[in-house]
Amino acid sequence: NAGVTQTPKFQVLKTGQSMTLQCAQDMNHEYMSWYRQDPGMGLRLIHYSVGAGITDQGEVPNGYNVSRSTTEDFPLRLLSAAPSQTSVYFCASRGQGSGANVLTFGAGSRLTVL
Amino acid sequence: AQSVSQHNHHVILSEAASLELGCNYSYGGTVNLFWYVQYPGQHLQLLLKYFSGDPLVKGIKGFEAEFIKSKFSFNLRKPSVQWSDTAEYFCAVGRDSWGKLQFGAGTQVVVTP
């Protein structure tokens, strides 16, 4: 098992550009989520999904879209990037047998918006 | 607002010193409590967790944490740190059965040789 795989690891965008951060897990986990990590603020939940076809907003959803067409994939879309979205993004997943709230994290995607 | 507070943002200590990191949360009701660690350049890893039972929980690498319900606290401790413990430590609280976690701001720990 590869666990949680995120691509790309690094990305530089210009303001107004769009892009998608990819997240895939091969553990058949039902729950997947996206967090952003900013200095002094810890990790904040952007969006999450409890299964294919089901998504919901977290703490800081504005400027981001998600979809969950398959169990394995949970892409995060930035439709019009802003400098405030410069951050490190982590995808995390959890399966039924993992114990409540025990998340497996990906390696992160560092995004810079100029 | 409900939150998770970590008292120290930066801690610098020497090898063999004892470490204690404070964490308080403001949620009522049943919670699941976690400490995650992020070593330089790596992703978050679970250090230890508390769901129920013995309030003193032991995790990996000699870390332990104590849940004190009356104080809404879940402090992390290690009796003798090593240089390899240099990392950022995050306290997190879960309130549902899925995976939504509320994280603290993190504490950067630097252990000097």
Side-chain angles (χ1 to χ4, degrees):
Chain A
N1 287 349
V4 179
T5 303
Q6 291 183 233
T7 56
K9 292 191 185 323
F10 301 94
Q11 183 71 49
V12 179
L13 291 177
K14 295 181 180 179
T15 297
Q17 287 185 317
S18 62
M19 78 156 299
T20 299
L21 299 178
Q22 301 290 346
C23 176
Q25 51 87 13
D26 59 358
M27 299 171 285
N28 201 32
H29 283 178
E30 293 181 299
Y31 178 89
M32 297 184 74
S33 55
W34 278 100
Y35 286 85
R36 59 177 289 174
Q37 182 184 20
D38 301 292
M41 303 188 76
L43 280 80
R44 292 178 292 169
L45 181 64
I46 304 172
H47 284 285
Y48 66 98
S49 169
V50 298
I54 306 169
T55 64
D56 206 346
Q57 297 180 349
E59 183 184 355
V60 288
N62 292 340
Y64 307 95
N65 282 348
V66 291
S67 60
R68 185 91 180 273
S69 57
T70 67
T71 300
E72 294 78 19
D73 301 297
F74 190 45
L76 179 71
R77 298 184 184 86
L78 286 72
L79 298 179
S80 179
S84 61
Q85 293 178 304
T86 293
S87 188
V88 180
Y89 292 85
F90 287 97
C91 181
S93 70
R94 173 193 171 270
Q96 286 279 34
S98 303
N101 303 144
V102 177
L103 299 177
T104 299
F105 283 85
S109 298
R110 183 176 293 275
L111 175 66
T112 301
V113 182
L114 303 176
Chain B
Q2 295 173 324
S3 66
V4 180
S5 300
Q6 292 184 237
H7 310 305
N8 308 95
H9 295 297
H10 291 93
V11 172
I12 301 175
L13 60 168
S14 302
E15 278 190 310
S18 64
L19 172 70
E20 180 160 0
L21 303 181
C23 174
N24 285 89
Y25 61 94
S26 61
Y27 302 102
T30 302
V31 295
N32 299 317
L33 300 164
F34 304 82
W35 278 95
Y36 279 86
V37 60
Q38 186 177 29
Y39 297 104
Q42 298 188 25
H43 59 90
L44 276 80
Q45 303 170 40
L46 182 66
L47 202 54
L48 50 76
K49 61 185 185 290
Y50 173 80
F51 292 159
S52 64
D54 189 342
L56 184 63
V57 294
K58 296 190 184 299
I60 60 172
K61 303 185 180 185
F63 285 91
E64 64 179 29
E66 183 176 13
F67 169 52
I68 302 178
K69 188 174 182 179
S70 61
K71 295 186 178 180
F72 296 87
S73 69
F74 190 56
N75 294 350
L76 180 71
R77 297 192 292 254
K78 185 171 184 178
S80 177
V81 295
Q82 301 172 314
W83 176 80
S84 58
D85 293 322
T86 293
E88 189 158 18
Y89 293 81
F90 294 93
C91 179
V93 177
R95 300 173 62 222
D96 65 13
S97 60
W98 283 100
K100 289 168 60 180
L101 294 182
Q102 184 77 35
F103 283 84
T107 299
Q108 183 67 52
V109 174
V110 175
V111 179
T112 59

